[in-house]
Amino acid sequence: MQATVPVSSSLHTTSTAADPTALSTQTNNMALVPAPPSETPLFAEVDMCSDSSATTVRATVIQASTVFYDTPATLDKAERFLAEAAGYGSQLVVFPEAFIGGYPRGSSFGATIGSRTAKGREDFRKYHASAIDVPGPEVDRLAAMAGKYKVYLVMGVIEREGYTLYCTVLFFDSQGHYMGKHRKVMPTAVERIVWGFGDGSTIPVFGTPIGKIGAAICWENRMPLLRTAMYGKGIEIYCAPTADSRDTWQATMTHIALEGGCFVLSANQFCRRKDYPPPPEYVFLGVEEDLTPDSVVCAGGSVIISPLGTVLAGPNYDGEALISADLDLGEIARAKFDFDVVGHYSRPEVLSLTVRDHPTNAVMFTSESAKTEASRK
């Protein structure tokens, strides 16, 4: 199989599951080729072979930027990528963190300890307006897309609940049904001034015909207890939408694949300065003067890794792309033979985890609780 990169270059990645030595190597040959004809797919595609005799799932991670402050245009862009992935036979498609609504990279929202600026408040108003309600019309459209293209869809969004925002992942099945969501339980650093905190009620792992699917977002993937909760639910296809394009992210993804004995699919945005509004409407604090419109502000690094720690596709740092691999589900059992973190390699009499998986609400009305209890009887 091969990958095509936009305009005039071609990336070839080869691996054969029948050859054990091929499982630990990737061969990437860059070569100039003529510009593709107009009917050639619009986006880069990285594709990986697998043993045709094994049960496989074709998965794609999308590496692309949000159309910032323009949610309808971002949804249109998502559909173009979904159509492209479906054309390659993908059954599961994963989008980056905050793809719908946008990742506010470089923004301080005018906040310092003890004060907020008028511009920062206006920045938040616009960001809030770009977020989506769950459920809501944008969720309905995403569900329709998943059904139209017959794919399982994992989508990073900024969720709006009243006037609090959450960094959220939404899950849809291939019949066009919304399955549920995961809210990021721990925003990182300045993210905490614009995003709320998820609770234990939204750490789902969904059993599907293509495997047990769940997600953790960006640096919450570094939280050992959160990962353990997901392992305890039997996750097999671990989705990791992120905003981290540093080299160290790859080590985190490989570790999770090995630790969990699961496939890891990490999707990140590839963004240039021009993908965000120009200054002074939007300012990258502290570095704006050093940036040109073509400066890369997020370099991607999207990757797919097997349960044995083999990099199946990626990481890609070249631009917007579809990055795909055929997941041999037999690899899960092969990996768990070595190490089953919540099974034969656990010591529950010494170390165990309790997860409080009920919703936590700031306000609860007893009359509503009584009605809820009555409805359950």
Side-chain angles (χ1 to χ4, degrees):
M1 305 293 287
Q2 72 174 19
T4 56
V5 177
V7 188
S8 61
S9 63
S10 178
L11 170 64
H12 298 270
T13 307
T14 59
S15 174
T16 305
D19 177 4
T21 63
L23 287 173
S24 61
T25 62
Q26 275 191 293
T27 304
N28 296 331
N29 301 311
M30 297 300 294
L32 293 177
V33 298
S38 58
E39 64 269 17
T40 298
L42 296 174
F43 307 109
E45 163 76 8
V46 180
D47 210 349
M48 180 63 62
C49 288
S50 184
D51 183 354
S52 61
S53 67
T55 301
T56 61
V57 173
R58 176 156 294 187
T60 295
V61 296
I62 304 297
Q63 181 163 290
S65 66
T66 302
V67 184
F68 212 81
Y69 289 153
D70 193 338
T71 297
T74 303
L75 286 164
D76 290 343
K77 184 173 185 177
E79 181 159 11
R80 293 196 298 272
F81 275 100
L82 266 181
E84 192 73 23
Y88 284 106
S90 295
Q91 298 159 273
L92 170 65
V93 181
V94 182
F95 278 78
E97 177 180 12
F99 185 77
I100 307 296
Y103 186 81
R105 187 176 300 278
S107 178
S108 68
F109 289 87
T112 56
I113 294 177
S115 68
R116 271 73 53 200
T117 65
K119 183 182 184 304
R121 291 189 176 99
E122 176 61 11
D123 288 345
F124 181 78
R125 184 201 66 77
K126 291 188 290 186
Y127 191 51
H128 179 271
S130 297
I132 67 172
D133 296 324
V134 180
E138 293 86 0
V139 177
D140 292 342
R141 182 175 176 191
L142 290 168
M145 289 181 199
K148 177 179 179 180
Y149 297 106
K150 305 300 181 187
V151 298
Y152 285 83
L153 171 62
V154 179
M155 175 63 74
V157 308
I158 299 303
E159 177 192 358
R160 177 178 57 218
E161 184 175 284
Y163 291 94
T164 296
L165 304 179
Y166 296 91
C167 184
T168 298
V169 168
L170 305 181
F171 299 85
F172 303 87
D173 70 18
S174 59
Q175 302 304 305
H177 302 125
Y178 166 64
M179 295 194 294
K181 68 185 177 184
H182 165 62
R183 284 178 172 173
K184 193 173 188 177
V185 299
M186 177 53 71
T188 300
V190 182
E191 293 173 357
R192 297 173 197 165
I193 69 172
V194 290
W195 295 344
F197 294 64
D199 61 32
S201 69
T202 66
I203 310 175
V205 171
F206 298 99
T208 77
I210 64 169
K212 296 178 181 178
I213 302 170
I217 306 169
C218 206
W219 276 20
E220 68 175 1
N221 283 285
R222 293 183 170 190
M223 300 173 71
L225 300 185
L226 176 63
R227 298 198 307 268
T228 302
M230 296 171 69
Y231 302 150
K233 292 187 175 186
I235 192 165
E236 296 171 330
I237 301 177
Y238 186 117
C239 303
T242 189
D244 190 345
S245 61
R246 298 172 306 164
D247 291 342
T248 52
W249 182 251
Q250 302 302 317
T252 298
M253 296 296 94
T254 299
H255 173 79
I256 292 172
L258 290 168
E259 179 183 66
C262 52
F263 290 96
V264 173
L265 283 60
S266 182
N268 194 6
Q269 298 195 30
F270 183 94
C271 305
R272 299 184 185 274
R273 176 62 186 88
K274 63 187 177 184
D275 293 317
Y276 286 81
E281 180 184 6
Y282 192 102
V283 175
F284 279 72
L285 188 67
V287 297
E288 186 64 59
E289 61 277 6
D290 299 325
L291 299 175
T292 69
D294 287 324
S295 294
V296 175
V297 295
C298 183
S302 301
V303 69
I304 300 176
I305 302 175
S306 83
L308 288 169
T310 302
V311 175
L312 300 179
N316 184 302
Y317 298 100
D318 299 324
E320 294 197 337
L322 286 80
I323 299 158
S324 297
D326 287 342
L327 313 183
D328 173 6
L329 299 185
E331 285 292 89
I332 297 170
R334 297 179 194 115
K336 299 269 192 188
F337 175 65
D338 293 349
F339 185 86
D340 186 355
V341 66
V342 293
H344 63 74
Y345 221 92
S346 66
R347 288 291 305 278
E349 76 280 15
V350 180
L351 301 167
S352 61
L353 172 66
T354 299
V355 180
R356 298 175 181 87
D357 59 356
H358 58 278
T360 55
N361 300 307
V363 179
M364 181 175 291
F365 295 95
T366 57
S367 59
E368 291 183 1
S369 298
K371 291 176 183 177
T372 300
E373 288 300 319
S375 69
R376 291 175 178 170
K377 295 179 179 178

